[in-house]
Amino acid sequence: MVDFQLAPEQEILRQTLAEFARERVRPAARAADEAGAIDPQLVREGWELGLISAPVAEWMAGETSTRSALTGAIAAEELAWGDLAIALRMLVSSLLTLPLIEMGTDAQRRALLPRFAGQNPALASAAVVEARFDYSPGELQTRARRIDDGFVLDGKKCLVPAVEGAELILVYAASEEDAGRRRHDAFIVPADSAGVARRRERNMGLKALETYELTFDGVRVEASGRLGGERAVNYPRLISQWRAGLAAMAVGVARAAFEYARDYARERKAFGAPIATKQAVAFMLADMAIEVDASRLLAWETAWRLDRGQDAAVESELMRRYVANATLQVTDSAVQVLGGHGYIREHPVELWLRNARGFCAFEGLTMV
Amino acid sequence: MIDFELEPQVVKRAELYHAVALNMMRSIARKYDEEEHTQPWDFFEAMWAASRQEAGAQPDSAERQGARAGGRSVETAVLVEEMCWGDAGLFLTIPGPGLGGAAVRAAGTPAQQERFLARFKGERPVWGAMAITEPGCGSDSAAVTTSAVRQGDYWVLNGTKIFCTAGQLAAEKSDGLVVVWATLDRSLGRAGIRPFVVERGTPGMSVVRVENKLGIRASDTAAIVFEDCRVPLDHLLGDPELKRSAGFKEVMATFDATRPIVAAMAIGVGRAALDFVREFLAAHGAPIRYGLPASRQTALEAEVVEMEVQLKAARLLTWRAAWMFDRGMRNNLEASMAKAKAGRVVTRITQKAVELLGPLGYSRELLVEKWMRDAKINDIFEGTQQINMLIVARRVLGYSSAELS
C-alpha cells in the first residue's frame, strides 16, 4: 500500500544523523575542502555512528540482516547534507562490507568481516570508475584474466576513495568466460599487492576526500579473491546499490543548497525588500524545492525496489540521470540566488556546486 | 513505512480502467476532437451504468469518497491516469459530481452533501460543475465580482462566469448542479467569497457560450450568465450564519483535493504519448536501449529516457500529495508541487513526442498532436503553473500572499 511515512526507527536514525551532520560535519566542511583532508577524529566519530559496523555485527551474531537500502538512503542524505566528501569518507568501507555481506562466500565473510567490527576497524575501498569519456559501468575495460590458481588484473581506475590507509580494495573488472562471453566480477585485492600503483587525483570537487587513480599491472589475485566465488556477484544489483546511495547523497547536497539559498533570500535585501519577495527569485526557490523532493522520491523508489530483491537496473539508470541533473540545477540556482556572494568561497554554495557536478561521474563511490 | 506498491485491488481496478480507456475512449477520441460540441451519449450512458454498478458493488464507496481520512485519492490518481491515457477530453465529460461535487464535499454541511449529491445516484447521467473564473479574473480568484445579495428567503446571484468545465452538461443537459463562487461583499475581499449551489433549470442561469478550444475538445467549457438568479438560502454551502467565514479557504480546500488529480490527468496524457513514441520507434527499428554510455546513445534515446523519468518524478510527487490528503495531512504545498511539475513535464513530453515523430507527429492521422493540444490544459486549469509555483514559493518561504504576490 502506497505510503510515504518513514518507519519510526528510520525517523529516529534520520534525526540522529541530521543532528550529527549539523553539529559536527557541516562546521568542518569548508576547512576540509581547503585542506584537502578530513580530521581523523571526525572520521572516528563517524565510525561510532555504527553505519558500517552494525550490519557487520548482525552478520557476526548470526542474525538475519535488517539492512535496508531505503534506510541507508535516508542516512546518506542526512550525512551528505553536512558534507559530501566527509559523508563518503565515513561510509567508504561499506563499499566492501556490504557486497561482502550480501554476495560473499561464507569463507570470505568469515575471513574479512571481523576486521570491520570493533574500535580499530580496517579501512576498505572500491575501484569502479575508469578515466574514459565513454565510461559506462556496464562496459568495464579493466580486465581479469583467469590463470591456473587465480586471476590477473590489468587496467586503470579512477575516483577510488581513501586509498591511503586502505587495506583492501574491491576491484571491478570484466572477465572473459567460456565462449568469449564477458561478465563483470569484483576482486578483493590487498592494497599493497605487487603491480598496484596509485596517484592522488585533483578534481573540481570532493577535494576533502582523497581520491586516487589506481593502475593494475599484472596484479595477481588468488582464486578465493573473487567475491562470491564461483557464483560471483550480482553486478547489476551492485550498480543499482551504488546509484541509490549516491542519489540519496545528491539529494542531501541539493537540500543543503536549497535551504541555504532560501534563508539567504529571506535576509538579503535589494530595492528595499528581501529578494525572496521577488518572483524571479521566489520561483527559482520553488523550483529547487520541487526538484529536491522529486529527486528524493526517485531515489527512495530505487532503494525500495532493491529492498524487495529487485535489481532495478533500468530504474536506477534513469533515476541516477535525473538526480544528477536536478542536483546540478539546484546547486547552480543556489549560487545564482546569492549572486556575487555565491561565487566567493566564504559561502558554501560554490562548494556544493562543485560537488554536485560530480554526480555525473561518480559511480561506486558509496553504497547504502 | 515507505512503500510504492499499489494494493492488489487497486491494480485490478486500474487494469479494468485501462481496458475502458483503450476500448471505449481511444476508439472515439479523434471523432470528438474533430466534432467539437457534439456529445458521446453512448459513452456517457455506458460510464454511468458502470459507475452505478460499481457503487452497488461497494455500497460504502460514496461515503468513503466524502471522507478525508481514509480517503482514496491515491487510487483515484491511479485510475484517472488510466482514463486520461485513454482520452483527457472524454475523461472530463464522464458524468458525475466533478468539481462541483468536490466543492460540495469540501464546503457543504453533512445535510447539504447528502441533499445535493443524491442526484448522482439516479438512473440518468448527471454532471456537477464549478464556476469560479470570470472574464476579468482568472488566477486572482479572490477578485470575483459575481455578487450574491440576500433578499428574504433567497440569495440573488448576478454576474458572468467563464471556463466552466462541463458547465453545459451540468446546467442544461442533465439534472445537474453548478457551484458558483460569488461575493457577499466585495469590501471583504477573500472572506466575502462563498459557494452557492445552482441547480439545473434555475431561472436566471443561462449558458451563453461553449468555447472553441486548442484541445480537450470533447469537454464543454461553458460561459454562464447569472441574471437575478434566485436560489434558496440553504444553497449557500456551509453555515449561513458565518458571514465572515473564510470562503476563499474553501476554494483552496477544494484545490488541495483536486490538484493531485489534475496532475494525474496530465500524467495519463504524458504516458499516452510516451508509450506511443516508444512502441512506434520499436516497431520502426529504433527501440529504446538502456545501459549504454552517453557516447553511444542516440539523441532520440536520450530524449525518450528523459521523458520517462520526468514523468515518473511527476507521478511520485502526485502520489505523495494524494497520500497526504488521504491521511488528513495538510498537502497544500505538495499538491501545488505535483500540479506545477506534472503540468510542465507533460506539456514538454507531448511537445517532444510530436517532434520525435517528425511529420508523422504533426499529422492528425495519429493522436500524438492531439495529446500535445490536450496536455496543455493541465498547465493552465486548476491553477496555472505560475500560480502553483507561487504557492510553493510562499509555503517554502513561509510568506503570506501579501508578502509574496
Side-chain angles (χ1 to χ4, degrees):
Chain A
M1 187 173 160
V2 172
D3 193 353
F4 292 88
Q5 184 110 40
L6 301 189
E9 64 274 17
Q10 289 171 332
E11 182 56 32
I12 290 166
L13 176 70
R14 194 191 65 73
Q15 285 174 15
T16 305
L17 292 178
E19 190 190 334
F20 180 76
R22 190 175 60 246
E23 303 296 330
R24 302 295 300 143
V25 180
R26 180 69 68 82
R30 174 57 78 183
D33 185 74
E34 295 286 338
I38 301 165
D39 176 8
Q41 172 56 28
L42 184 58
V43 174
R44 271 192 295 276
E45 285 180 43
W47 176 264
E48 281 157 18
L49 294 168
L51 294 170
I52 294 171
S53 57
V56 170
E58 263 179 4
W59 179 84
M60 287 171 64
E63 291 165 10
T64 336
S65 174
T66 57
R67 179 164 101 76
S68 147
L70 190 60
T71 304
I74 291 161
E77 176 184 335
E78 295 304 331
L79 277 185
W81 178 92
D83 183 68
L84 179 64
I86 295 171
L88 285 167
R89 176 60 187 79
M90 286 175 174
L91 294 174
V92 67
S93 289
S94 67
L95 288 168
L96 175 65
T97 57
L98 293 179
L100 194 54
I101 291 171
E102 186 174 337
M103 300 177 193
T105 63
D106 276 338
Q108 286 167 338
R109 291 191 282 211
R110 273 198 303 272
L112 299 177
L113 281 176
R115 296 206 223 166
F116 296 91
Q119 289 304 308
N120 284 307
L123 182 67
S125 183
V128 179
V129 188
E130 296 169 349
R132 289 181 281 124
F133 84 95
D134 59 347
Y135 162 77
S136 163
E139 299 177 355
L140 299 181
Q141 285 187 6
T142 299
R143 289 297 148 93
R145 200 157 34 84
R146 204 187 258 275
I147 54 171
D148 287 344
D149 55 349
F151 300 88
V152 176
L153 301 183
D154 284 288
K156 207 171 180 182
K157 295 284 184 181
C158 66
L159 282 168
V160 186
V163 175
E164 196 73 45
E167 290 174 31
L168 297 167
I169 300 169
L170 193 59
V171 182
Y172 289 85
S175 42
E176 299 291 342
E177 289 291 297
D178 300 339
R181 265 187 59 236
R182 193 187 303 162
R183 47 166 300 130
H184 290 99
D185 271 318
F187 299 92
I188 303 160
V189 180
D192 57 2
S193 298
V196 179
R198 75 177 71 151
R199 188 171 67 88
R200 175 135 187 207
E201 295 174 350
R202 288 148 44 86
N203 291 314
M204 175 168 71
L206 287 190
K207 287 159 79 173
L209 179 72
E210 298 174 31
T211 62
Y212 291 82
E213 187 179 271
L214 289 190
T215 310
F216 299 87
D217 184 9
V219 176
R220 295 179 66 118
V221 183
E222 290 171 22
S224 63
R226 176 160 80 172
L227 188 60
E230 284 308 307
R231 200 182 63 242
V233 292
N234 179 349
Y235 186 64
R237 183 170 166 83
L238 286 169
I239 295 176
S240 293
Q241 286 171 336
W242 301 329
R243 287 171 172 168
L246 281 165
M249 290 193 162
V251 174
V253 174
R255 179 162 60 89
F258 159 66
E259 290 173 358
Y260 196 91
R262 175 197 64 195
D263 296 345
Y264 181 91
R266 285 171 51 87
E267 293 295 321
R268 173 74 181 182
K269 289 199 167 104
F271 308 105
I275 59 171
T277 62
K278 314 287 182 195
Q279 283 194 356
V281 174
F283 278 27
M284 281 173 79
L285 292 165
D287 223 1
M288 293 157 78
I290 292 172
E291 292 308 317
V292 168
D293 280 11
S295 296
R296 181 185 302 110
L297 292 172
L298 284 167
W300 281 3
E301 203 247 7
T302 293
W304 170 81
R305 285 181 187 279
L306 288 166
D307 284 344
R308 291 160 59 93
Q310 298 177 22
D311 295 344
V314 170
E315 288 85 356
S316 74
E317 180 185 344
L318 267 54
M319 178 278 292
R320 165 190 191 268
R321 172 196 167 94
Y322 185 100
V323 173
N325 286 337
T327 302
L328 180 66
Q329 183 204 315
V330 170
T331 52
D332 178 72
S333 294
V335 172
Q336 194 67 29
V337 167
L338 269 72
H341 295 280
Y343 203 72
I344 307 293
R345 296 218 299 273
E346 274 174 30
H347 289 283
V349 285
E350 63 79 31
L351 189 162
W352 291 329
L353 173 60
R354 285 186 286 115
N355 284 348
R357 177 68 291 190
F359 287 102
C360 66
F362 305 157
E363 198 112 40
L365 259 66
T366 193
M367 182 136 220
V368 297
Chain B
M1 183 85 167
I2 305 289
D3 193 355
F4 296 92
E5 185 170 43
L6 297 167
E7 296 153 281
Q9 65 264 33
V10 176
V11 173
K12 228 180 217 167
R13 290 191 80 201
E15 284 165 4
L16 183 73
Y17 276 64
H18 187 80
V20 169
L22 181 66
N23 300 319
M24 295 174 65
M25 300 173 83
R26 278 284 172 94
S27 51
I28 58 171
R30 178 58 80 182
K31 174 177 161 66
Y32 289 96
D33 178 63
E34 300 275 341
E35 297 170 21
E36 197 171 12
H37 308 309
T38 62
Q39 276 103 28
W41 281 96
D42 290 349
F43 174 69
F44 294 164
E45 300 282 359
M47 295 307 286
W48 191 250
S51 74
R52 279 166 57 80
Q53 208 172 20
E54 205 168 61
Q58 298 175 306
D60 64 333
S61 70
E63 285 70 31
R64 283 178 58 186
Q65 270 179 18
R68 245 182 87 96
R72 305 201 302 186
S73 293
V74 174
E75 177 176 358
T76 305
V78 169
L79 302 180
V80 165
E81 177 182 329
E82 291 304 329
M83 284 189 282
C84 289
W85 179 90
D87 190 82
L90 289 168
F91 165 72
L92 287 168
T93 72
I94 292 174
L99 284 180
V104 171
R105 280 197 289 267
T109 63
Q112 285 174 324
Q113 293 189 28
E114 191 172 339
R115 193 168 124 226
F116 291 124
L117 298 177
R119 72 196 59 222
F120 298 106
K121 295 172 182 168
E123 292 278 318
R124 303 279 309 144
V126 182
W127 286 264
M130 181 147 89
I132 305 184
T133 303
E134 299 182 359
C137 75
S139 294
D140 183 11
S141 40
V144 302
T145 60
T146 296
S147 61
V149 176
R150 183 167 173 174
Q151 282 181 11
D153 293 340
Y154 294 91
W155 291 104
V156 181
L157 305 176
N158 275 289
T160 301
K161 292 290 183 182
I162 60 169
F163 300 165
C164 178
T165 298
Q168 190 185 34
L169 290 167
E172 288 187 343
K173 304 220 166 185
S174 74
D175 186 25
L177 58 81
V178 180
V179 173
V180 183
W181 295 83
T183 175
L184 300 177
D185 180 350
R186 288 205 68 190
S187 69
L188 292 177
R190 290 182 173 166
I193 299 168
R194 305 301 300 271
F196 297 86
V197 173
V198 184
E199 295 174 297
R200 179 252 179 107
T202 305
M205 173 169 75
S206 47
V207 173
V208 295
R209 190 173 67 246
V210 181
E211 307 288 355
N212 301 320
K213 300 191 298 296
L214 172 67
I216 54 164
R217 290 182 182 164
S219 166
D220 73 285
T221 303
I224 304 178
V225 167
F226 298 88
E227 207 171 359
D228 292 330
C229 178
R230 283 150 57 97
V231 295
L233 283 187
D234 60 2
H235 281 219
L236 165 58
L237 291 175
D239 186 344
E241 300 308 316
L242 296 173
K243 273 205 171 182
R244 281 180 162 272
S245 77
F248 197 72
K249 268 196 186 151
E250 288 152 2
V251 189
M252 288 303 134
T254 313
F255 284 146
D256 290 346
T258 57
R259 279 185 178 143
I261 305 307
V262 176
M265 285 182 60
I267 290 161
V269 180
R271 203 182 97 214
L274 183 60
D275 285 354
F276 186 86
V277 167
R278 195 202 314 276
E279 285 162 23
F280 189 94
L281 292 176
H284 290 79
I288 305 303
R289 302 161 302 165
Y290 296 89
L292 291 179
S295 59
R296 289 214 308 284
Q297 197 177 37
T298 65
L300 208 63
E301 287 169 331
E303 300 271 21
V304 171
V305 297
E306 176 69 12
M307 289 155 73
E308 188 175 336
V309 71
Q310 288 284 347
L311 192 71
K312 187 168 177 178
R315 184 184 292 114
L316 292 175
L317 287 169
T318 299
W319 285 10
R320 180 181 64 166
W323 171 84
M324 289 178 76
F325 187 82
D326 288 346
R327 297 274 292 243
M329 298 159 80
R330 183 162 193 229
N331 72 337
N332 184 247
L333 165 66
E334 292 78 7
S336 282
M337 281 183 163
K339 168 69 169 70
K341 177 79 177 175
R344 177 166 45 178
V345 157
V346 168
T347 295
R348 168 131 181 98
I349 286 173
T350 52
Q351 290 171 357
K352 266 287 162 200
V354 170
E355 181 191 330
L356 295 184
L357 297 184
L360 303 178
Y362 200 68
S363 164
R364 296 209 313 249
E365 293 288 320
L366 298 179
L367 287 170
V368 181
E369 62 81 30
K370 177 183 179 300
W371 291 327
M372 177 185 136
R373 290 185 286 108
D374 289 348
K376 187 63 198 169
I377 193 59
N378 296 295
D379 226 359
I380 298 170
F381 71 3
E382 293 275 298
T384 59
Q385 183 189 141
Q386 287 67 31
I387 282 297
N388 282 294
M389 291 298 276
L390 194 56
I391 291 168
V392 171
R394 282 178 192 149
R395 290 285 170 271
V396 300
L397 285 161
Y399 281 159
S400 66
S401 51
E403 288 167 307
L404 179 61
S405 60

